[in-house]
Amino acid sequence: MFVQQPIAILDSGVGGLTVAREVMRQLPREKIVYFGDTARAPYGPRDPKVVTRFTREIVDYLIQYRPKMIVIACNTATAFALEEIRAIVDIPVVGVIKPGARAALGRTITGCIGVIGTEGTINSGAYEHALLEISPNVHVISEACPLFVPLVEKGNFRSLQTYETIRSSIGHLRKFPMDSLILGCTHYPFLADVIQEVVGPDINLISSADETAREVSNILQDQGMLARGEVIPVHQFFCSGEPQMFKSIAQQWLGEQIELTPVVWQVPQIG
């Protein structure tokens, strides 16, 4: 039946696992098919048209599994490709930017919100637009952090190198009166402990994963598409790059063994 179809989640790499884990927690009956484009990560420095093409290619691949919903669990891909993907498929497509913005606005007291993300996400202005669309008086401070995704993709979540990279990238944000900081890349929750250490304990770190999973749940419930029954789903994972690192990170983050299928992908140069 249609309600038993999977939820497709895609990302440039392992970052979307933060969203997948929250979907699995909130919706334990739902089967997930996940694609991490690790061979072509990071997406942040790439041209928007290239990011959009990559996202379409992944969607084309995942459609064979007849998903009932697509979650673009990548901020850069959400910023550049969300509307185009919605135009070419006839199922709900959820991004991570608006859910993250809503979560931050629900937590801020001062009305000063920081956003860190990839070059592509920050340059797109997508978070600033989403925040100001809801709350015109909010003050937004944005900072691109291109060195963060490579740390995560290598599994380097906590080390002296990680701390120094994060400190040099965002340490200066402490001078602003922000009380909330949006982790505007789904890779960044892997680095949350160190980010919190750098910005200080009084700053709310906002991950879009919780709010995105909540939006997924609401849409499926409203459209009568929630999975039924007591069968425990077997999730499927695909990656386009080196499988062992992806599998190690995924199993560590999700706390369970996974079924992983490598996918051979053409890997162009950054551009």
Side-chain angles (χ1 to χ4, degrees):
M1 293 179 61
F2 183 74
V3 293
Q4 300 299 331
Q5 292 172 275
I7 298 169
I9 300 178
L10 64 93
D11 182 57
S12 62
V14 300
L17 294 170
T18 60
V19 177
R21 185 172 76 170
E22 192 58 28
V23 171
M24 291 163 64
R25 186 186 71 80
Q26 292 189 28
L27 300 169
R29 290 192 180 99
E30 299 292 346
K31 175 183 172 68
I32 290 171
V33 290
Y34 180 99
F35 195 109
D37 196 11
T38 48
R40 303 189 295 194
Y43 279 10
R46 294 190 183 276
D47 184 275
K49 291 181 180 178
V50 174
V51 173
T52 300
R53 177 165 60 86
F54 287 178
T55 307
R56 288 194 62 161
E57 288 172 357
I58 298 171
V59 168
D60 289 343
Y61 183 88
L62 291 172
I63 285 296
Q64 67 182 299
Y65 298 97
R66 298 184 62 244
K68 58 186 175 184
M69 171 182 281
I70 296 170
V71 180
I72 303 179
C74 170
N75 286 268
T76 305
T78 297
F80 296 139
L82 178 63
E83 296 308 320
E84 180 164 333
I85 299 303
R86 283 177 171 166
I88 63 173
V89 300
D90 58 0
I91 57 176
V93 183
V94 175
V96 289
I97 289 177
K98 286 189 175 180
R102 288 196 300 269
L105 289 169
R107 295 287 299 278
T108 186
I109 300 298
T110 66
C112 184
I113 298 173
V115 182
I116 56 174
T118 67
E119 294 161 289
T121 299
I122 297 302
N123 291 339
S124 75
Y127 266 106
E128 186 169 4
H129 176 76
L131 289 163
L132 292 173
E133 185 178 43
I134 301 170
S135 181
N137 296 321
V138 73
H139 179 53
V140 184
I141 302 151
S142 301
E143 186 70 39
C145 302
L147 300 179
F148 288 11
V149 169
L151 289 173
V152 174
E153 289 292 333
K154 293 175 184 176
N156 189 5
F157 307 148
R158 191 174 184 87
S159 68
L160 180 59
Q161 178 199 4
T162 301
Y163 176 82
E164 289 300 328
T165 299
I166 293 174
R167 184 190 60 78
S168 63
S169 298
I170 64 172
H172 64 282
L173 296 180
R174 297 183 66 164
K175 68 184 180 182
F176 295 101
M178 66 178 186
D179 64 354
S180 300
L181 178 64
I182 297 175
L183 305 182
C185 172
T186 50
H187 283 74
Y188 294 1
F190 285 94
L191 306 173
D193 288 346
V194 181
I195 292 172
Q196 190 78 76
E197 188 176 346
V198 169
V199 299
D202 296 332
I203 304 299
N204 299 313
L205 297 188
I206 307 296
S207 168
S208 60
D210 294 5
E211 193 72 19
T212 300
R214 199 168 295 118
E215 183 164 323
V216 168
S217 178
N218 290 338
I219 292 172
L220 294 181
Q221 187 168 20
D222 289 345
Q223 299 193 15
M225 297 193 298
L226 285 171
R228 310 291 180 185
E230 300 301 324
V231 177
I232 299 175
V234 178
H235 308 298
Q236 293 176 273
F237 294 83
F238 303 88
C239 76
S240 59
E242 202 284 312
Q244 290 307 313
M245 178 59 72
F246 180 94
K247 189 170 186 178
S248 174
I249 293 172
Q251 292 182 163
Q252 176 184 345
W253 185 254
L254 299 176
E256 61 181 62
Q257 298 293 308
I258 69 165
E259 175 186 325
L260 176 64
T261 303
V263 176
V264 178
W265 225 237
Q266 182 179 0
V267 184
Q269 297 298 312
I270 296 291

